[in-house]
Amino acid sequence: MTATYVVPALAEPVEILVDRWGVPHIYARSPGDVFVAQGFNAARDRLFQIDLWRRRGLGLLSEVLGGEYVEQDRAARLFLYRGDMAAEWLAYGPGTERVTRAFVAGINAFVALCRDRREHLPPEFSHHLPAYWAPEDVARIRSHGLFANLEDEVARALTLRDHGSAVEDLRRVREPARPLRVPEGLDLSVIPDDVLRVYRLATGAPRAGLDGSNNWVIGPSRTASGRPLLANDPHRAVTLPSLRYIAHLSAPGVDVIGAGEPALPGISIGHNGRIAFGLTIFPIDQEDLYVYETNDRHEYRYQGRWEPMERIRETVPVRDGDPVPVELWFTRHGPVIHEGEGSAFAVRAAWLEEGMAPYLGSMDYMEASGPDEFVAAMRRWGAPGENQVYAAPDGTIGWRPAGRVPRRSGWDGTLPVPGDGRYEWDGFVDVDELPSVRDPGQGWWATANQRNVPDGHPVTVTRDWYAPFRYERVGEVLASRTGWTVEDCVRLQTDYVSLPARRIQPVLDGLSADDPKVAAALETLRRWDATLSADSGAAALFEVWYRRHLRPGLLDAALSRLVPADRRAAA
């Protein structure tokens, strides 16, 4: 089926060919036109998704969904970028503002078409019309990035408050391990259980507990073709519609294919014929919770004096109701998310600073001519922290972590800190100070959010790394053979071997049970191949038991929670 659209923002005609997988291949005669067409086509495919994304980010849900969203809208507005837009655009690579304006012009062209000719309007817009975008919307919205550190440090503080350091040492591994030290001047008792309620409203569900992601590159000495291979699995939630949006952009000076997000220009995971690139989260600690002593005049104690909070008054439009005035409060460190009797709490987040719009930095590297230019672009990458792996046709492979790491002198960010001036950031670490790898001697490199900063490295990226099991399994398989193919990489991406299960199985040899059911369950686990396949009863038993802390006495309880397949079918 062929359709023709008149798009005033285009300088010349553009052709979009959609293949059998639904991937648009966009061919234009200029880079500007290719990004106009990318925005137009993203809106054509995903208009309701990106309209909702914009409203959530800007704090405009109440305008179409009603007054019950006012609190969420206020929270979202606290976490918008509010700095100078000229400085913001300059913080990215050359051309990012121009490309973003072209992309938004394409979105707005389709929005205009829907508003003028309702036959193009997606059925989800039964009660309102899609809104027009401003280019600044793409850069100002920050709350869609993957950030977890604030959750980690608050959970740690509450555990210390209620149970002490011995329990915290069991609850969460810190790497490298060091004794916890409560920052001088911090009173844990003033931190309420719901201190992150507003933060969570703004950023969505808590990021802690994500399964994580993985990627790897294999050098030509270990592949069947003699050319490098790159594999990337970001492990984001499966949603409908998807978070990812795949496209091929082709114009003079631009020829790149891969995945981005429908509300962002460009490609963040893919290749351009000269360099292939993929990313996983490199969990930089880019957030801190500041705890203040306050008075009843919205002032907080800073360096021995009372300093006033900044107040911003805004109005939230409400569908079928009167607009609601809201007040947003800020300290010198960031938005105030909670106020109590004589205390207040604010968030300092690197991702609220210039050049830190999540993933917008991909515009800077997707057209790189080779490894050197790609690595250079990583110096400007802001947020979130990423493990970038890359491969080039000449056989070069490498790893370049990127993202702004705050410098903390005399403290490490593992816990909230007093906001009285003793715990300030001292700028950011230069990206070149982070470790990196090119053409590793082993012939491959992999990341899976695990700690990959070597012992003794002077930069503290975080102490809250992800568990190493996924990386260890990838490394075990990659190191076991040569002759790798694309098909082999796909199989490894769907590998379900559980290293925790494999390590626990030898312990089972020393266990016995009087209950025949429990004894049979133990034997099932001993004989199991440690593969977490969907049809494995042993895998289901292990996962339920494992999540109940592996106490032998709880194996019977785990069995009781599992329903036999024949009973499920009957139900």
Side-chain angles (χ1 to χ4, degrees):
M1 184 179 69
T2 300
T4 301
Y5 300 92
V6 176
V7 179
L10 289 174
E12 297 183 80
V14 171
E15 184 178 36
I16 302 176
L17 302 179
V18 180
D19 65 25
R20 61 191 175 117
W21 293 284
V23 176
H25 299 258
I26 304 172
Y27 300 94
R29 297 176 187 173
S30 70
D33 278 355
V34 85
F35 291 108
V36 170
Q38 185 190 18
F40 182 90
N41 203 66
R44 185 173 68 153
D45 285 346
R46 304 282 192 89
L47 185 57
F48 185 73
Q49 180 189 24
I50 65 174
D51 186 79
L52 200 63
W53 182 90
R54 174 185 172 275
R55 289 186 174 280
R56 174 187 170 274
L58 294 178
L60 292 170
L61 289 173
S62 301
E63 186 176 31
V64 296
L65 299 179
E68 61 267 34
Y69 287 89
V70 168
E71 189 177 12
Q72 183 172 345
D73 284 344
R74 178 188 177 276
R77 293 171 185 226
L78 281 169
F79 287 92
L80 285 170
Y81 172 72
R82 292 178 176 273
D84 177 63
M85 282 308 302
E88 166 69 5
W89 292 123
L90 287 173
Y92 303 99
T96 299
E97 179 182 7
R98 171 180 49 79
V99 165
T100 303
R101 291 186 179 280
F103 180 80
V104 166
I107 292 176
N108 287 339
F110 190 77
V111 169
L113 195 63
C114 290
R115 293 171 71 101
D116 294 341
R117 297 170 57 188
R118 301 301 172 87
E119 68 264 26
H120 294 290
L121 191 67
E124 295 94 339
F125 291 95
S126 55
H127 299 293
H128 69 282
L129 293 174
Y132 290 107
W133 289 57
E136 292 76 15
D137 296 344
V138 174
R140 292 185 66 221
I141 296 172
R142 303 291 174 88
S143 53
H144 60 290
L146 289 181
F147 314 109
N149 177 258
L150 209 64
E151 293 283 350
D152 289 329
E153 67 180 65
V154 170
R156 183 172 292 119
L158 297 181
T159 303
L160 288 176
R161 183 196 69 185
D162 296 341
H163 305 292
S165 59
V167 173
E168 172 56 25
D169 289 343
L170 289 173
R171 185 194 71 85
R172 186 75 160 89
V173 172
R174 299 184 304 281
E175 301 178 272
R178 282 186 189 169
L180 271 176
R181 184 178 65 186
V182 176
E184 183 180 349
L186 177 64
D187 181 359
L188 294 172
S189 69
V190 306
I191 303 176
D193 291 349
D194 64 345
V195 68
L196 294 184
R197 183 173 181 276
V198 169
Y199 170 85
R200 290 167 179 160
L201 278 174
T203 59
R207 272 32 177 196
L210 291 171
D211 288 337
S213 44
N214 57 63
N215 60 20
W216 60 84
V217 278
I218 308 174
S221 66
R222 303 186 71 89
T223 66
S225 67
R227 302 184 67 185
L229 290 173
L230 184 149
N232 197 168
D233 184 358
H235 282 208
R236 298 295 294 271
V238 177
T239 59
L240 188 64
S242 171
L243 167 76
R244 299 291 175 207
Y245 189 71
I246 299 174
H248 174 205
L249 311 177
S250 183
V254 180
D255 195 2
V256 60
I257 186 170
E261 297 183 12
L264 296 175
I267 301 297
S268 57
I269 302 170
H271 75 86
N272 63 15
R274 302 179 301 276
I275 192 83
F277 40 87
L279 53 82
T280 69
I281 287 295
F282 182 62
I284 298 172
D285 180 353
Q286 293 185 322
E287 300 172 311
D288 279 308
L289 183 70
Y290 282 84
V291 183
Y292 306 93
E293 176 190 354
T294 60
N295 60 28
D296 58 5
R297 299 186 301 277
H298 271 100
E299 296 173 332
Y300 59 100
R301 179 75 68 177
Y302 186 79
Q303 292 186 346
R305 58 183 173 79
W306 291 109
E307 183 165 304
M309 296 181 187
E310 179 188 2
R311 177 173 58 185
I312 296 177
R313 291 188 173 101
E314 294 186 349
T315 301
V316 177
V318 177
R319 181 183 174 180
D320 298 329
D322 295 329
V324 176
V326 296
E327 292 185 339
L328 311 175
W329 294 93
F330 299 85
T331 70
R332 62 170 51 236
H333 299 116
V336 176
I337 59 170
H338 188 92
E339 293 187 72
E341 186 67 35
S343 62
F345 305 82
V347 176
R348 181 160 193 190
W351 46 271
L352 288 176
E353 303 200 6
E354 294 166 0
M356 301 287 278
Y359 308 104
L360 189 57
S362 63
M363 289 301 312
D364 203 15
Y365 66 70
M366 70 174 195
E367 299 175 36
S369 61
D372 290 343
E373 193 171 320
F374 178 82
V375 168
M378 290 302 101
R379 296 191 182 103
R380 291 184 291 271
W381 180 272
E386 298 288 359
N387 289 292
Q388 295 275 4
V389 294
Y390 57 91
D394 66 1
T396 301
I397 63 171
W399 162 64
R400 168 81 275 185
R404 291 187 201 158
V405 181
R407 290 189 186 275
R408 300 175 176 91
S409 300
W411 56 293
D412 62 7
T414 56
L415 285 163
V417 292
D420 58 12
R422 288 178 288 178
Y423 300 91
E424 299 297 326
W425 294 359
D426 185 20
F428 294 94
V429 173
D430 191 290
V431 172
D432 288 338
E433 296 179 56
L434 298 175
S436 63
V437 168
R438 181 172 291 189
D439 293 329
Q442 64 198 23
W444 60 270
W445 195 264
T447 81
N449 324 115
Q450 85 288 359
R451 183 187 172 205
N452 49 17
V453 174
D455 290 338
H457 195 275
V459 176
T460 299
V461 172
T462 185
R463 298 198 189 281
D464 292 307
W465 302 91
Y466 291 54
F469 304 123
R470 289 175 293 110
Y471 166 76
E472 291 171 356
R473 175 57 180 168
V474 170
E476 172 185 85
V477 178
L478 290 179
S480 68
R481 47 166 289 204
T482 59
W484 280 84
T485 66
V486 171
E487 292 74 21
D488 295 332
C489 287
V490 171
R491 278 191 289 273
L492 182 54
Q493 285 183 318
T494 55
D495 178 90
Y496 299 119
V497 172
S498 169
L499 294 194
R502 187 191 284 172
R503 294 176 185 179
I504 289 167
Q505 281 177 314
V507 179
L508 301 181
D509 292 336
L511 298 180
S512 60
D514 295 331
D515 187 324
K517 290 192 302 180
V518 176
L522 285 170
E523 186 60 23
T524 295
L525 292 174
R526 291 188 189 105
R527 295 181 178 181
W528 174 44
D529 65 359
T531 300
L532 297 173
S533 53
D535 59 352
S536 170
L541 173 62
F542 173 77
E543 282 296 300
V544 173
W545 185 40
Y546 182 61
R547 297 179 191 282
R548 294 175 72 90
H549 309 299
L550 294 174
R551 289 168 53 192
L554 291 176
L555 188 56
D556 187 39
L559 283 168
S560 69
R561 295 185 64 187
L562 299 175
V563 180
D566 56 347
R567 285 173 54 192
R568 282 202 308 271

